[in-house]
Amino acid sequence: MASETARHGKVVAIRGAVVDIAFAEGYLPPINDALRIEAPDSAPVHVEVQAHVDMTTVRTIALQATTGLRRGTAVRPLGRPLDVPVGKAVLGRLLDVSGEVRDGKEPLPDDVPRSPIHRDPPRFAVENGHPELFRTGIKVVDLLTPLAQGGKAAMFGGAGVGKTVLVMELIHAMVAGYQGISVFSGVGERSREGHEMLSDMTETGVLERTVLVYGQMNEPPGARWRVPMTALAIAEHFRDEERRNVLLLMDNVFRFVQAGSEVSGLLGRLPSRVGYQPTLASEVAALQERIASANGHSITAIEAVYVPADDFTDPAVTTIAGHVDSMVVLSRAMAADGMYPAIDPIASSSILLDPLIVGEDHERVANAVRRTIEHYRELQDVISLLGMEELGQEDRLLVGRARRLQRFLTQPFNVTKAFTGLEGRSVSLDDTLKGCTAILEGETDDWDESALYMVGTLEEARARDAAARTDRGAA
């Protein structure tokens, strides 16, 4: 075994975020090990081993900016993968990929426990196989794409259709009804979004039960690529050591894939389909398979996924979709029509929408809602060309009910109150099922459609319709 000093290396090449480091013959740090470049006139830089170039040289990817580094700088191997602070000390704090605090408050105590960012997923023998539903208070989500504790849900959508708003509203829902720990991972986030998230969490009082982990847009690809692993290490500690349920929120998983693609290009790997890295499937699997229930406690993941150019056949999107239990698909057409949340009831799905899990009534109502809205979409071309008058009486009735269902499934959010002026609504599943059943059975056929738009329960819509009738009568 080489002595500690003999194991030190030195920088021999720097190409942006890629740093080549030479060691004395007889010692090469393993793949995924962390190294610390200790420049005399700047802050230390952590790098991660990605390839063995020859018998004495490793190629690494930097987790911090390499500005100011020079060849010949000393490098100290840590002898392990990067480890980050975990446990109660990090609650209410904002960390970067290497676990350094970035919120301007006092540093973490020296005795804080640490955990490596690379770990194997739980063994099947200790995973829990009986899902417990996770109620959000968002009508369309609870009805059509139920989420499970210990499961993975992803919000798929293009730019500007409301993914981040939906994730923010789920955080509010968690404040009201969920008493576990939350870990928010901002992958390639804008600085503005990070400041908004921090201030919102402080105002709502949820920050003391939350850990924020950020790898921002301006950081090197290595930081954006590894920041979800840092968040997972913290979540796993709370699940396994503190025996707590954890809600893991990630925004945006596509930027994790994008950062991996940048890293792959920097390392000189040949690109695969549509220019993505050849290791796309294994990288996504390494992240997603660690999100699970184990030993009676769970990590529940809610992930925002950007869909480039609204192309749902993109390899990154289809790879991520293969790992999730609930797919919440956001529709640009619905957003353009003002149907917020702009969740497509037909394209969205969940493996939990099963009578053995949610009950027969829930499954029956959800499928009836889907069929009614799908039938309306099939008739839309006819309506656009010829008008409603050309439809048969039964079809006209179904179209009216589908339009009312679409409006009833809209909902004002707490996080959008500043823009809309409407108080946010949280609706129980029972109220959602009662409202949809009443619309499907024709109870609202003579109501004005606008009475059902942006309301909580059916009773609220009934009161609004009655008020509108009174106003018309007075006029």
Side-chain angles (χ1 to χ4, degrees):
M1 176 74 75
S3 71
E4 192 63 31
T5 308
R7 289 170 62 177
H8 283 208
K10 64 178 182 179
V11 174
V12 292
I14 306 165
R15 291 181 298 280
V18 175
V19 182
D20 286 0
I21 297 164
F23 290 88
E25 198 159 342
Y27 175 74
L28 274 185
I31 301 293
N32 282 344
D33 259 23
L35 314 173
R36 184 180 170 100
I37 303 175
E38 298 175 325
D41 50 357
S42 61
V45 175
H46 287 96
V47 297
E48 188 177 276
V49 178
Q50 290 298 313
H52 289 177
V53 178
D54 55 37
M55 296 299 287
T56 59
T57 311
V58 295
R59 184 154 291 160
T60 68
I61 198 80
L63 303 182
Q64 282 115 6
T66 55
T67 311
L69 281 187
R70 58 175 69 91
R71 286 189 296 177
T73 305
V75 179
R76 182 168 63 86
L78 300 185
R80 61 183 186 279
L82 183 71
D83 58 14
V84 294
V86 295
K88 292 175 182 172
V90 299
L91 289 174
R93 306 305 300 269
L94 189 151
L95 310 176
D96 66 10
V97 65
S98 60
E100 297 292 325
V101 291
R102 297 295 182 201
D103 51 16
K105 300 177 187 174
E106 70 280 357
L108 295 171
D110 294 335
D111 61 349
V112 67
R114 302 183 77 88
S115 184
I117 66 169
H118 295 288
R119 283 180 61 180
D120 292 331
R123 293 177 294 110
F124 284 131
V126 299
E127 287 198 26
N128 302 346
H130 302 289
E132 188 176 327
L133 294 180
F134 184 88
R135 301 293 182 213
T136 67
I138 300 171
K139 289 181 285 190
V140 65
V141 172
D142 287 343
L143 176 69
L144 299 176
T145 61
L147 314 183
Q149 284 200 19
K152 296 182 275 283
M155 320 289 171
F156 293 91
V161 294
K163 296 182 299 300
T164 300
V165 169
L166 196 52
V167 169
M168 290 282 288
E169 186 66 17
L170 285 163
I171 291 171
H172 273 268
M174 173 269 302
V175 178
Y178 179 79
Q179 295 304 311
I181 299 294
S182 302
V183 180
F184 181 86
S185 176
V187 188
E189 287 282 271
R190 301 170 184 88
S191 300
R192 171 185 58 79
E193 292 171 337
H195 284 300
E196 285 175 5
M197 179 75 73
L198 193 58
S199 60
D200 280 356
M201 285 189 163
T202 305
E203 285 169 19
T204 54
V206 69
L207 191 60
E208 62 191 26
R209 298 204 314 272
T210 305
V211 187
L212 300 173
V213 188
Y214 274 87
Q216 293 185 176
M217 264 186 178
N218 62 318
E219 295 191 51
R224 289 177 273 122
W225 190 40
R226 288 311 189 203
V227 77
M229 303 298 188
T230 299
L232 261 174
I234 295 168
E236 286 167 335
H237 176 86
F238 280 112
R239 180 193 66 194
D240 299 335
E241 307 302 326
E242 310 268 345
R243 318 294 288 170
R244 303 287 296 272
N245 289 329
V246 184
L247 183 63
L248 176 65
L249 300 131
M250 284 196 275
D251 187 7
N252 185 308
V253 181
F254 176 79
R255 294 195 189 117
F256 159 74
V257 172
Q258 205 171 34
S261 181
E262 289 178 52
V263 167
S264 184
L266 288 167
L267 294 172
R269 295 177 188 147
L270 287 173
S272 182
R273 277 195 309 155
V274 198
Y276 285 109
Q277 60 271 45
T279 51
L280 172 65
S282 57
E283 283 176 17
V284 171
L287 176 70
Q288 300 286 355
E289 291 305 305
R290 287 169 63 182
I291 301 166
S293 298
N295 299 315
H297 293 84
S298 62
I299 297 175
T300 305
I302 296 172
E303 309 167 8
V305 184
Y306 168 67
V307 180
D310 290 344
D311 178 13
F312 284 87
T313 64
D314 186 88
V317 175
T318 55
T319 304
I320 295 165
H323 288 273
V324 299
D325 308 313
S326 302
M327 276 184 67
V328 179
V329 177
L330 290 117
S331 159
R332 192 169 299 282
M334 289 185 68
D337 289 341
M339 299 295 168
Y340 288 104
I343 295 172
D344 189 326
I346 309 305
S348 301
S349 63
S350 172
I351 62 169
L352 301 163
L353 197 60
D354 183 302
L356 297 174
I357 297 172
V358 299
E360 291 185 2
D361 282 351
H362 183 164
E363 191 249 2
R364 177 180 50 77
V365 172
N367 285 335
V369 167
R370 272 214 180 96
R371 279 196 302 273
T372 305
I373 293 173
E374 194 163 18
H375 189 63
Y376 167 48
R377 288 190 179 176
E378 288 168 359
L379 294 170
Q380 274 184 321
D381 285 345
V382 175
I383 295 166
S384 300
L385 290 169
L386 304 173
M388 285 280 287
E389 296 74 22
E390 295 302 313
L391 298 179
Q393 186 176 356
E394 189 179 337
D395 281 344
R396 264 184 292 187
L397 206 59
L398 274 172
V399 166
R401 289 174 187 173
R403 288 174 62 86
R404 286 171 174 81
L405 281 169
Q406 283 185 329
R407 280 151 182 76
F408 180 64
L409 292 176
T410 61
Q411 187 170 339
F413 281 174
N414 289 291
V415 295
T416 57
K417 183 184 173 185
F419 311 110
T420 64
L422 298 172
E423 283 289 341
R425 305 285 195 280
S426 179
V427 184
S428 71
L429 178 63
D430 283 346
D431 285 337
T432 302
L433 292 173
K434 284 175 190 169
C436 291
T437 302
I439 295 168
L440 289 164
E441 290 176 353
E443 193 178 314
T444 65
D445 284 356
D446 60 342
W447 293 16
D448 193 293
E449 287 178 3
S450 62
L452 292 151
Y453 179 67
M454 285 291 169
V455 295
T457 64
L458 192 71
E459 295 310 311
E460 190 182 335
R462 193 191 306 278
R464 190 188 280 185
D465 182 65
R469 287 172 193 268
T470 304
D471 289 347
R472 285 198 298 271

